[in-house]
Amino acid sequence: MNDLDTKISEHYMRLAIRLAARALGNTSPNPLVGAVIVKDGQIAGRGYHCRAGSPHAEINALKEAGNKAMGADLYLNLEPCIHYGRTPPCVDALLESRIKRVFVGMSDPNPLVNGKGIQKLREGGVDVKTGILEEECRKLNEIFVKYVTTQRPFVILKAATSLDGRIAAEGGDSKWITNEKSRQYVHQLRNQVDAVLVGIGTIERDDPMLTTRLQKRRGRDSVRIVVDSTLKISPRAKVLNLASNAPTLIATTPKASLKKIRAIENQGGKVIVIPSRKSVDLTLLMEILGKKDITSILIEGGSRINTSAFKAGIVDKVIFFYAPRIIGGKNAPLIVGGNGISKVKDSLVLHRIKTRRFGDDIMVEGYT
């Protein structure tokens, strides 16, 4: 493609990406997909995948375009599916519509697709161009990519901290280190993931609800997960006494008594016993949660669960909020504790760093 064609294709691909992003948090375990159909320089149809089980983006765009789809161009951030799931293959509908060209942002890493959709379109006489804004398309579906290739959830570790790295004062008080704008963004994150995870220490100290509370619109509660190796959680804990459609899962070990398990389940909680000798094996927990179609997790715990998550190597993305405060105190909890490392060269280095301001707070985002 020449420079003009590249600019045009990237323009419409960005529209497809923005359309796909409208469904953030609603399509799991499916990917986020947007579609734009262009005929004679004009947009003839748009569509996006709204939720799992609903028509795919291509189908919605074809429906809006009608007969104008014949001989038109389609811009799609993800390769069209070729397999039967809850809906028929999109490739067949595209061939029937006699779309002329398809611009694809990235191939579908799903082993059931993985290039087969592109191949079938080409075999059907459709001109297919790939790799349009591929990096942006891949970031949009980073959760889906991790889950569909590993069957394990994409894990984000979030922390709110002072400039000197404290997540609470020595007495345990942590309300509120960051400002309202930062906290509202965290509720947006909760609305976009399948589950929120904390340790029993956070439950005992703060007794949080872990629900999604967005301003001016309703949020979707994520599954609440509590890591509790000996099942110390009180039946009166807020996470077990909510009017919420999302369940609360308690991950424990064989050290938990059957009596306490029954008491928690009678309260509405769901107990998962992880075959670990000491504490809950987080790696094994991720495997179990993946089998339950939990594709993404936001860790919002304290120093102990953060340390365990990094040690287990389950963290994919880090989001730290830094407030303009100095708390101090040698016993004030830090973001990460444990024994640490002996040499700086052995530290965990984050990549693809981005920063963002929320009032006076600064958010730092990076990948492990």
Side-chain angles (χ1 to χ4, degrees), residues 71-126:
D73 294 336
L74 169 66
Y75 296 85
L76 198 62
N77 62 290
L78 185 71
E79 174 183 7
C81 65
I82 195 172
H83 62 288
Y84 279 90
R86 297 186 190 179
T87 58
C90 291
V91 169
D92 294 346
L94 294 176
L95 291 174
E96 290 174 8
S97 73
R98 298 176 68 181
I99 282 277
K100 183 180 180 180
R101 295 190 300 179
V102 175
F103 295 81
V104 177
M106 62 173 284
S107 60
D108 189 340
N110 186 338
L112 297 174
V113 186
N114 198 19
K116 299 183 182 72
I118 293 171
Q119 180 182 348
K120 187 169 181 179
L121 285 175
R122 285 173 172 161
E123 290 173 352
V126 178

Coordinates of all heavy atoms in Angstrom, one line a residue, residues 71-126:
G71 N -19.0 -5.5 -3.1 CA -17.9 -4.7 -3.7 C -17.3 -3.7 -2.7 O -16.4 -2.9 -3.1
A72 N -17.6 -3.8 -1.4 CA -17.1 -2.8 -0.5 C -15.9 -3.3 0.3 O -15.4 -4.5 0.1 CB -18.2 -2.5 0.6
D73 N -15.3 -2.5 1.1 CA -14.2 -2.8 1.9 C -14.6 -3.0 3.4 O -15.5 -2.3 3.8 CB -13.1 -1.7 1.9 CG -12.5 -1.5 0.5 OD1 -12.5 -2.5 -0.3 OD2 -12.0 -0.4 0.3
L74 N -14.1 -4.0 4.1 CA -14.4 -4.2 5.5 C -13.1 -4.0 6.3 O -12.0 -4.6 6.0 CB -14.9 -5.6 5.7 CG -15.0 -6.1 7.1 CD1 -16.1 -5.3 7.9 CD2 -15.4 -7.6 7.2
Y75 N -13.2 -3.2 7.4 CA -12.1 -3.0 8.3 C -12.5 -3.7 9.6 O -13.5 -3.4 10.2 CB -11.8 -1.5 8.5 CG -11.4 -0.9 7.2 CD1 -12.3 -0.4 6.3 CD2 -10.0 -0.7 6.9 CE1 -11.9 0.2 5.1 CE2 -9.6 -0.1 5.8 CZ -10.5 0.3 4.9 OH -10.1 0.9 3.7
L76 N -11.6 -4.6 10.1 CA -11.9 -5.5 11.2 C -10.6 -5.6 12.1 O -9.6 -6.0 11.6 CB -12.3 -6.8 10.6 CG -13.0 -7.8 11.5 CD1 -14.4 -7.3 11.9 CD2 -13.2 -9.1 10.7
N77 N -10.7 -5.3 13.3 CA -9.5 -5.4 14.2 C -9.1 -6.8 14.5 O -7.9 -7.0 14.9 CB -9.8 -4.6 15.5 CG -10.9 -5.2 16.4 OD1 -12.0 -5.2 16.0 ND2 -10.5 -5.8 17.5
L78 N -9.9 -7.8 14.3 CA -9.5 -9.2 14.5 C -10.0 -10.1 13.4 O -11.2 -9.9 12.9 CB -10.1 -9.7 15.8 CG -9.7 -11.1 16.3 CD1 -8.3 -11.1 16.8 CD2 -10.6 -11.5 17.5
E79 N -9.2 -11.0 13.0 CA -9.6 -12.0 12.0 C -11.0 -12.6 12.2 O -11.3 -13.0 13.3 CB -8.5 -13.1 12.0 CG -8.8 -14.3 11.0 CD -7.8 -15.4 11.1 OE1 -6.9 -15.3 12.0 OE2 -7.9 -16.3 10.3
P80 N -11.8 -12.7 11.1 CA -13.1 -13.3 11.3 C -13.1 -14.7 11.6 O -12.2 -15.5 11.2 CB -13.8 -13.0 9.9 CG -12.7 -12.9 9.0 CD -11.5 -12.2 9.8
C81 N -14.1 -15.2 12.4 CA -14.1 -16.6 12.8 C -14.5 -17.5 11.7 O -15.2 -17.1 10.8 CB -15.0 -16.8 14.1 SG -16.8 -16.4 13.7
I82 N -14.1 -18.8 11.8 CA -14.4 -19.8 10.8 C -15.1 -21.0 11.4 O -15.5 -21.9 10.7 CB -13.1 -20.2 10.1 CG1 -13.5 -20.9 8.8 CG2 -12.2 -21.0 11.0 CD1 -12.3 -21.2 7.9
H83 N -15.3 -21.0 12.7 CA -15.9 -22.1 13.4 C -17.2 -21.8 14.0 O -17.6 -20.6 14.2 CB -14.9 -22.6 14.6 CG -14.7 -21.5 15.6 ND1 -14.0 -20.4 15.4 CD2 -15.2 -21.4 16.9 CE1 -14.0 -19.6 16.5 NE2 -14.8 -20.2 17.4
Y84 N -18.0 -22.8 14.2 CA -19.3 -22.7 14.9 C -19.1 -22.6 16.4 O -18.5 -23.5 17.0 CB -20.2 -23.9 14.5 CG -20.9 -23.8 13.2 CD1 -20.3 -24.3 12.1 CD2 -22.1 -23.2 13.1 CE1 -20.9 -24.2 10.8 CE2 -22.7 -23.1 11.8 CZ -22.1 -23.6 10.7 OH -22.7 -23.5 9.5
G85 N -19.7 -21.6 17.0 CA -19.7 -21.5 18.5 C -21.2 -21.3 18.8 O -22.0 -22.1 18.5
R86 N -21.4 -20.1 19.5 CA -22.8 -19.8 19.8 C -23.5 -19.2 18.6 O -24.7 -19.1 18.5 CB -22.9 -18.8 20.9 CG -22.4 -19.3 22.3 CD -22.6 -18.3 23.4 NE -21.9 -18.6 24.6 CZ -22.0 -17.9 25.7 NH1 -22.7 -16.8 25.7 NH2 -21.3 -18.3 26.8
T87 N -22.6 -18.8 17.6 CA -23.1 -18.2 16.4 C -22.4 -18.8 15.2 O -21.3 -19.4 15.3 CB -22.8 -16.6 16.3 OG1 -21.4 -16.4 16.5 CG2 -23.6 -15.9 17.4
P88 N -23.0 -18.8 14.0 CA -22.3 -19.4 12.8 C -21.0 -18.6 12.4 O -20.8 -17.5 12.9 CB -23.4 -19.2 11.7 CG -24.6 -18.9 12.4 CD -24.3 -18.2 13.7
P89 N -20.2 -19.2 11.6 CA -18.9 -18.6 11.1 C -19.2 -17.3 10.4 O -20.0 -17.2 9.5 CB -18.3 -19.6 10.2 CG -19.0 -20.9 10.6 CD -20.3 -20.6 11.0
C90 N -18.4 -16.3 10.7 CA -18.6 -15.0 10.1 C -18.0 -15.0 8.7 O -18.4 -14.2 7.8 CB -17.9 -13.9 10.9 SG -18.7 -13.5 12.5
V91 N -17.0 -15.8 8.4 CA -16.4 -15.9 7.1 C -17.4 -16.2 6.0 O -17.4 -15.6 4.9 CB -15.2 -16.9 7.1 CG1 -14.8 -17.2 5.6 CG2 -14.1 -16.4 7.9
D92 N -18.3 -17.2 6.3 CA -19.3 -17.6 5.4 C -20.3 -16.4 5.0 O -20.6 -16.2 3.8 CB -20.2 -18.7 5.9 CG -19.4 -20.0 6.1 OD1 -18.3 -20.0 5.5 OD2 -19.9 -20.9 6.8
A93 N -20.6 -15.6 6.0 CA -21.5 -14.4 5.8 C -20.8 -13.4 4.9 O -21.4 -12.7 4.1 CB -21.9 -13.8 7.1
L94 N -19.5 -13.2 5.2 CA -18.7 -12.3 4.4 C -18.6 -12.7 2.9 O -18.7 -11.8 2.0 CB -17.3 -12.1 5.0 CG -17.3 -11.4 6.4 CD1 -15.8 -11.4 6.9 CD2 -17.8 -10.0 6.3
L95 N -18.4 -14.0 2.7 CA -18.3 -14.5 1.3 C -19.7 -14.3 0.6 O -19.7 -13.9 -0.6 CB -17.9 -15.9 1.3 CG -16.4 -16.2 1.7 CD1 -16.1 -17.7 1.8 CD2 -15.4 -15.5 0.7
E96 N -20.8 -14.6 1.3 CA -22.1 -14.4 0.7 C -22.4 -13.0 0.4 O -23.1 -12.7 -0.6 CB -23.1 -15.0 1.7 CG -23.1 -16.5 1.9 CD -24.1 -17.0 2.9 OE1 -24.8 -16.2 3.4 OE2 -24.0 -18.2 3.3
S97 N -21.9 -12.0 1.2 CA -22.1 -10.6 0.9 C -21.4 -10.1 -0.2 O -21.6 -9.0 -0.7 CB -21.8 -9.8 2.2 OG -20.3 -9.7 2.3
R98 N -20.3 -10.8 -0.7 CA -19.5 -10.4 -1.8 C -18.7 -9.1 -1.5 O -18.5 -8.3 -2.3 CB -20.3 -10.3 -3.1 CG -21.0 -11.6 -3.5 CD -21.8 -11.5 -4.7 NE -21.1 -11.2 -5.9 CZ -21.6 -11.0 -7.1 NH1 -23.0 -11.0 -7.3 NH2 -20.9 -10.7 -8.2
I99 N -18.3 -9.1 -0.3 CA -17.3 -8.1 0.1 C -16.1 -8.2 -0.8 O -15.6 -9.3 -1.1 CB -16.9 -8.2 1.6 CG1 -18.0 -7.7 2.5 CG2 -15.6 -7.6 1.9 CD1 -18.0 -6.2 2.8
K100 N -15.5 -7.1 -1.2 CA -14.4 -7.1 -2.1 C -13.0 -7.2 -1.4 O -12.2 -8.0 -1.8 CB -14.4 -5.9 -3.0 CG -13.3 -5.9 -4.1 CD -13.3 -4.6 -4.9 CE -12.2 -4.6 -6.0 NZ -12.3 -3.4 -6.8
R101 N -12.8 -6.4 -0.4 CA -11.6 -6.4 0.3 C -11.8 -6.4 1.8 O -12.8 -5.8 2.3 CB -10.7 -5.2 0.0 CG -10.3 -5.1 -1.5 CD -9.2 -4.0 -1.7 NE -9.7 -2.7 -1.4 CZ -9.0 -1.6 -1.5 NH1 -7.7 -1.6 -1.8 NH2 -9.5 -0.4 -1.2
V102 N -10.9 -7.1 2.6 CA -11.0 -7.1 4.0 C -9.6 -6.7 4.6 O -8.6 -7.3 4.2 CB -11.4 -8.5 4.6 CG1 -11.4 -8.5 6.1 CG2 -12.8 -8.9 4.1
F103 N -9.6 -5.7 5.5 CA -8.4 -5.2 6.1 C -8.5 -5.7 7.6 O -9.4 -5.4 8.3 CB -8.4 -3.7 6.1 CG -8.2 -3.1 4.7 CD1 -9.3 -3.0 3.9 CD2 -7.0 -2.7 4.2 CE1 -9.2 -2.4 2.6 CE2 -6.8 -2.2 3.0 CZ -7.9 -2.1 2.1
V104 N -7.5 -6.5 8.0 CA -7.5 -7.2 9.3 C -6.4 -6.6 10.1 O -5.2 -6.5 9.7 CB -7.4 -8.7 9.1 CG1 -7.3 -9.4 10.5 CG2 -8.5 -9.3 8.3
G105 N -6.7 -6.2 11.4 CA -5.7 -5.7 12.3 C -4.8 -6.8 12.7 O -3.5 -6.6 12.7
M106 N -5.3 -7.9 13.2 CA -4.4 -9.0 13.7 C -5.1 -10.4 13.5 O -6.4 -10.4 13.4 CB -4.1 -8.8 15.2 CG -5.3 -8.9 16.1 SD -5.0 -8.9 17.9 CE -4.4 -10.6 18.1
S107 N -4.3 -11.4 13.3 CA -4.9 -12.7 13.2 C -5.4 -13.2 14.5 O -5.0 -12.7 15.6 CB -3.9 -13.7 12.7 OG -2.8 -13.8 13.5
D108 N -6.4 -14.1 14.5 CA -7.0 -14.6 15.8 C -6.1 -15.7 16.4 O -5.9 -16.7 15.7 CB -8.4 -15.1 15.5 CG -9.2 -15.5 16.7 OD1 -8.6 -15.7 17.8 OD2 -10.4 -15.5 16.7
P109 N -5.6 -15.5 17.6 CA -4.7 -16.5 18.2 C -5.4 -17.8 18.6 O -4.8 -18.8 19.0 CB -4.1 -15.8 19.3 CG -5.1 -14.8 19.7 CD -5.7 -14.3 18.4
N110 N -6.8 -17.8 18.6 CA -7.5 -18.9 18.9 C -7.1 -20.1 18.0 O -7.2 -20.0 16.8 CB -9.0 -18.6 18.8 CG -9.9 -19.8 19.2 OD1 -9.5 -20.9 19.3 ND2 -11.2 -19.5 19.6
P111 N -6.7 -21.2 18.5 CA -6.3 -22.4 17.7 C -7.4 -22.8 16.7 O -7.1 -23.4 15.7 CB -6.0 -23.5 18.7 CG -5.7 -22.8 20.0 CD -6.5 -21.5 20.0
L112 N -8.6 -22.5 17.0 CA -9.7 -22.9 16.1 C -9.8 -22.0 14.9 O -10.4 -22.3 13.9 CB -11.1 -22.8 16.8 CG -11.3 -23.8 18.0 CD1 -12.6 -23.6 18.7 CD2 -11.2 -25.3 17.4
V113 N -9.1 -20.9 15.0 CA -9.1 -19.9 13.8 C -7.7 -19.8 13.3 O -7.3 -20.4 12.3 CB -9.6 -18.5 14.3 CG1 -9.7 -17.6 13.1 CG2 -11.0 -18.7 15.0
N114 N -6.9 -18.9 14.0 CA -5.4 -18.8 13.7 C -5.0 -18.9 12.2 O -4.3 -19.7 11.8 CB -4.7 -20.0 14.5 CG -3.2 -19.7 14.6 OD1 -2.8 -18.6 14.5 ND2 -2.4 -20.7 14.9
G115 N -5.6 -17.9 11.5 CA -5.2 -17.8 10.1 C -6.2 -18.5 9.1 O -6.2 -18.2 7.9
K116 N -7.0 -19.4 9.6 CA -7.9 -20.1 8.7 C -9.0 -19.2 8.2 O -9.4 -19.5 7.0 CB -8.5 -21.3 9.5 CG -7.5 -22.3 10.0 CD -8.3 -23.5 10.7 CE -7.3 -24.5 11.3 NZ -6.7 -24.0 12.5
G117 N -9.4 -18.2 8.9 CA -10.4 -17.3 8.4 C -9.9 -16.5 7.3 O -10.6 -16.3 6.2
I118 N -8.7 -16.0 7.4 CA -8.0 -15.2 6.4 C -7.8 -16.1 5.1 O -8.1 -15.7 4.0 CB -6.7 -14.6 6.8 CG1 -6.9 -13.6 7.9 CG2 -5.9 -14.1 5.7 CD1 -5.7 -13.1 8.6
Q119 N -7.4 -17.3 5.3 CA -7.2 -18.2 4.2 C -8.4 -18.5 3.4 O -8.4 -18.5 2.2 CB -6.6 -19.5 4.7 CG -6.3 -20.6 3.7 CD -5.7 -21.9 4.2 OE1 -5.3 -21.9 5.4 NE2 -5.7 -22.9 3.4
K120 N -9.5 -18.7 4.1 CA -10.8 -19.1 3.4 C -11.3 -17.9 2.7 O -11.9 -18.0 1.6 CB -11.8 -19.5 4.4 CG -13.1 -20.0 3.8 CD -14.0 -20.7 4.7 CE -15.3 -21.3 4.0 NZ -16.2 -22.0 4.9
L121 N -11.1 -16.7 3.2 CA -11.5 -15.5 2.5 C -10.8 -15.3 1.2 O -11.3 -15.1 0.1 CB -11.3 -14.2 3.3 CG -12.3 -14.0 4.5 CD1 -11.9 -12.7 5.3 CD2 -13.7 -13.8 4.0
R122 N -9.5 -15.6 1.2 CA -8.6 -15.5 0.1 C -9.0 -16.5 -1.0 O -9.0 -16.3 -2.2 CB -7.2 -15.6 0.4 CG -6.6 -14.3 1.1 CD -5.2 -14.4 1.6 NE -4.7 -13.1 2.1 CZ -3.7 -13.0 2.9 NH1 -3.0 -14.1 3.4 NH2 -3.2 -11.8 3.2
E123 N -9.3 -17.7 -0.5 CA -9.7 -18.8 -1.4 C -11.0 -18.5 -2.0 O -11.3 -19.0 -3.1 CB -9.8 -20.1 -0.6 CG -8.4 -20.7 -0.2 CD -8.6 -21.9 0.7 OE1 -9.7 -22.2 1.2 OE2 -7.6 -22.5 1.0
G124 N -11.8 -17.6 -1.4 CA -13.1 -17.2 -1.9 C -13.0 -16.0 -2.8 O -14.1 -15.5 -3.2
G125 N -11.8 -15.6 -3.1 CA -11.6 -14.4 -4.0 C -11.6 -13.1 -3.4 O -11.6 -12.1 -4.1
V126 N -11.5 -13.0 -2.0 CA -11.5 -11.7 -1.3 C -10.1 -11.3 -1.1 O -9.2 -12.1 -0.7 CB -12.2 -11.9 0.1 CG1 -12.1 -10.5 0.8 CG2 -13.6 -12.3 -0.1

